[in-house]
Amino acid sequence: MSSSFFTLPTSQRKRKRTDTGPISSSKKRTTAVTTGSVSKAAPPKKPRRDESISGSESDDDEAPKRNDIFEGEEGDTNSESDQEDETGAERRLRLAERYLANVKGEVDEAGFDAEEIDRDLIAERLKEDVAETKGRLYRHIASELDFQGTTKTHFRADTLSTTSIATCPPYAYTVSKDLYIIKWQLPDPTLLFAAPQKTKKPPPPRRRPTKLLTTRGNIHRANDHTYQHHTAHILTVAASSDGRFVATGGADKRLIIWSAADLTPLRVFTQHRDAVTGLAFRRGTNQLYSSSKDRTIKTWSLNELAYVETLFGHQDEVVDVAALAQERCLSVGARDRTVRLWKVVEETQLVFRGGGGEKKSRNQGKEAGPSFAEGSIDRVAMIDEEMFVTGADNGSLSLWTMHKKKPVYTLPLAHGLDPALKPEEAYAEQHPNPKVPSPPQPRWITALATVPYSDLIVSGSWDGWIRVWKVSADKRRIEAVGTVGRAHIAENTSDVVMDEAVTVEHEGTGGKDKPAEEAQTVRGVINDISILERGERGKDGLCIVAAIGTEHRFGRWKKVQGKNGAVVFEVRKVVS
């Protein structure tokens, strides 16, 4: 029996839906009408992959409002949805165009030619930004600064030895052994070096920093745990780069965070189990590192005023800490004679071992004088993310790189030798032995600072001078530049570091030469040094501020004649 299904032609066997045709045709008509209405209202700026087409009138009414909002928020950029749709290459191109426009705007203010801008200045700025982002030394400024023609201003309050100093332009913060915290306003360098006018003589500009705020702790409230101040010697201070916070640490085991505006305490941390000896902010952030005599380094987040974590590893007191832009810090462990690089994110550390003495060549023999072993590494400062410098109690400066566990170069006796003790000072007898009891001892490196990502190094001790050094072009040596306030460049290192062999000419003495010790620019122990750059990237020079005291910041081992307070040096660039 044959079925009609097999006898019909193939084209007629397919079953057709009676309602498919009208619905699809109506959809097409509706889509066509909607598209026409949208195109008449406002043509779309850019086709989007996830854009849905709708014919409702409410969307047409809200479209101009949304466009107005995006135009007000974004300005010269696209809307947020456009930024989501753009590719990675388009985003990089947009950011590069914006960056170049900003750089051109800055350079146009100097009135340069467009050709010169495009070829030289923008290229140089781009290289500097890339080098700073990667954490490399890229500025060679030591030879561009006039350290001989500096202006010096001493300022002080009626306090004991100033133990530390921190700067955040245009302010400086000092702390002392008698629990004072003082906020100063530094003078404007443009007024100090302004050219004299021929009109009516104006009053001379104020050269001495102005004391703005003062706060003092109370030693008698050591057992009061609710007291929000220090109750023992304040040993260190640091200021955040955004000018919001000031941090201080002291022998009372307290780390106190202050509001920089009015020096009111915000938070008192008591996590350290011994004296807080060093503080350092991560560059451009409010992340703080603190070192302590409890042999630990702690990290803090000041945006939340919270403790983050503790870093262990040192075998002796941690006496100094330093940091730059990357999330890592350097610390020195005093008599364990190690420098440790802490990689906070990776939770790892690199150990660099010191302890070496002065190396003599075979040809020098005994004529080179005594050598001094390194007993304690007391100071550290970072040059860039891959190089740093340390100072020790044998007077040596050591240059280190992250790729070697030992110093690349060691400069011995950077600040010379102390004269030998007299028999009357060494013995209590009425007629002491005339024999000299001990040989001359080296002066410790008590302060150390650098200009980040440059070749400039500044060190201090109690020889009366702030000495300036630079990293050599091959980054393998430390070379002497001179002293702040006196130009003295020597070919041989021994001519620089031995004060007994250096003579300078004084005014008003008939041209006679006097020993350099009688011409000291800084009298006392230099306990700390802070450097701030004048102008963008130091184009107007440097300001060097040093904390001075008659005693060392940690104790009374050395008593030096001088004044307690601080000294400001304004260093200008060499006029070519």
Side-chain angles (χ1 to χ4, degrees), residues 427-469:
Y427 298 103
E429 289 86 352
Q430 186 176 2
H431 300 286
N433 188 350
K435 184 179 179 182
V436 177
S438 63
Q441 296 298 314
R443 300 185 178 105
W444 309 345
I445 304 298
T446 57
L448 193 60
T450 61
V451 177
Y453 310 111
S454 76
D455 62 342
L456 187 67
I457 303 170
V458 179
S459 64
S461 185
W462 58 78
D463 60 336
W465 298 98
I466 296 178
R467 300 189 182 270
V468 184
W469 318 87

Side-chain angles (χ1 to χ4, degrees), residues 479-490:
E479 300 175 351
V481 175
T483 57
V484 179
R486 178 191 67 180
H488 176 68
I489 302 175

Side-chain angles (χ1 to χ4, degrees), residues 175 236-240 245-249 255-258 279 281 288 302:
V175 294
T236 181
V237 63
S240 62
F245 303 106
V246 174
T248 58
L255 169 62
I256 303 181
I257 310 301
W258 309 81
L279 295 170
F281 277 94
L288 179 68
L302 298 196

